[in-house]
Amino acid sequence: MDSNIGYYLFALVAIIVAFLIVKKVTTCLLKSVVLIVLAAVLAFVYFYYMR
């Protein structure tokens, strides 16, 4: 019985840690994508209007 409780606690902690890691990575990835899109838009505006 004790090994089952330990296994479930370990699984619960692993799920929580995995969720937090994925959350951190996706927010960082989302910020990177927004920055790349913004840089592309600024480059387009620069070359379209300044040439």
Side-chain angles (χ1 to χ4, degrees):
M1 188 74 171
D2 289 332
S3 63
N4 288 341
I5 293 172
Y7 174 75
Y8 289 127
L9 285 175
F10 176 75
L12 183 64
V13 169
I15 290 171
I16 292 171
V17 168
F19 175 74
L20 292 175
I21 290 174
V22 167
K23 185 178 168 187
K24 279 277 194 201
V25 168
T26 51
T27 48
C28 181
L29 187 64
L30 187 63
K31 288 177 185 176
S32 299
V33 168
V34 168
L35 184 65
I36 290 171
V37 168
L38 184 62
V41 168
L42 287 175
F44 173 76
V45 168
Y46 175 76
F47 284 116
Y48 187 72
Y49 287 111
M50 298 297 178
R51 268 183 28 163

